[in-house]
Amino acid sequence: MNQIFNPDNPVMRFLSKFCDLMLLNILFIITSIPIFTIGASLAAMYKITLDIVTNDDPYIIRGYFKAFKKNFKQATLIWLPMLFALLFFAIDLYVVYNIIDPGYSYLQFPIWIIMFVILSIVIYAFPMIGRYEATSKQILKNSVLLSVANIPVTIMILAIYAGIAYLASLSAKALITAFSIFLFFGFSAIAFYNSLFLIRIFFKCNPDEEEALKNRELEEASTL
């Protein structure tokens, strides 16, 4: 019985991380309600999920709000222009599909390309804001470079979001199911999954950080 409730038990570790992700998901939803705060919420959520991936055992509530407050200004200044741009091009797509002559449907292609670029930047920008100290210019520049240099990962992450959106649109039941999943753990679970790939990419750009993590793990293992 004691073995079952041992914190080092794989089942207990899984349940602990699952509960952490549920709590993190709630925090993300609450702080994202004003919409304009989503950028800071993303940065804070990725700060925690990246720490979980690297076994830093973060304090979820305290760590989240600390990262949210610390990165609020920078994340918001990056998020708002992206939000307005996405809304603008989403309206353009609506016009192309529903209002103008079908002969002009080719106009959708440059719009989709621009939206792909913006969303690719989002994938990398907010995790970097949450984890590293850098200027907004550096964040945006590095986000573009990383999205291109790691195009398979970029496409995979965007495909996950697109696939979920497509499945949710199939029926009212599917929409309610997706809403329920995201209400409890969907946002943080996807962020955690993305973090498994993002941390490898970040480590390739910061080998010293990876080396420091390995040394820390060796020290912890030697003390056991």
Side-chain angles (χ1 to χ4, degrees), residues 30-224:
I30 292 174
T31 57
S32 296
I33 290 175
I35 306 299
F36 74 90
T37 60
I38 290 178
S41 298
L42 283 170
M45 179 170 63
Y46 272 105
K47 163 63 177 173
I48 301 300
T49 56
L50 288 166
D51 283 349
I52 294 175
V53 168
T54 55
N55 297 314
D56 283 334
D57 295 327
Y59 292 98
I60 304 300
I61 297 178
R62 186 171 67 186
Y64 182 90
F65 282 110
K66 181 179 179 181
F68 182 89
K69 181 180 179 180
K70 176 184 177 183
N71 301 303
F72 181 83
K73 182 178 180 180
Q74 182 180 36
T76 302
L77 290 176
I78 291 178
W79 164 250
L80 287 180
M82 290 184 174
L83 174 62
F84 291 137
L86 289 172
L87 288 174
F88 175 79
F89 290 115
I91 293 172
D92 285 349
L93 286 175
Y94 177 83
V95 171
V96 170
Y97 288 136
N98 298 283
I99 298 179
I100 66 175
D101 188 279
Y104 294 98
S105 62
Y106 62 87
L107 293 175
Q108 68 178 294
F109 298 115
I111 298 174
W112 279 116
I113 291 173
I114 295 172
M115 292 186 72
F116 176 84
V117 172
I118 296 173
L119 292 172
S120 297
I121 294 173
V122 170
I123 289 173
Y124 296 92
F126 296 102
M128 281 195 289
I129 291 174
R131 190 166 179 85
Y132 301 108
E133 296 280 351
T135 65
S136 297
K137 182 178 179 180
Q138 290 172 326
I139 290 290
L140 293 173
K141 177 183 177 181
N142 291 337
S143 297
V144 173
L145 294 175
L146 289 177
S147 66
V148 174
N150 301 277
I151 194 66
V153 173
T154 303
I155 293 175
M156 178 198 69
I157 292 176
L158 289 177
I160 290 174
Y161 289 116
I164 293 172
Y166 172 75
L167 292 174
S169 69
L170 293 179
S171 66
K173 183 178 180 180
L175 180 61
I176 293 173
T177 300
F179 176 81
S180 300
I181 292 173
F182 277 88
L183 183 63
F184 288 101
F185 61 88
F187 293 108
S188 60
I190 292 178
F192 176 76
Y193 177 79
N194 293 345
S195 295
L196 295 173
F197 296 91
L198 292 173
I199 198 64
R200 298 176 187 175
I201 293 171
F202 294 162
F203 279 170
K204 284 194 295 184
C205 300
N206 301 277
D208 291 341
E209 183 182 12
E210 182 178 19
E211 185 65 26
L213 176 62
K214 290 180 179 178
N215 292 335
R216 191 192 71 193
E217 291 176 345
L218 289 173
E219 290 176 2
E220 292 176 351
S222 64
T223 58
L224 296 178

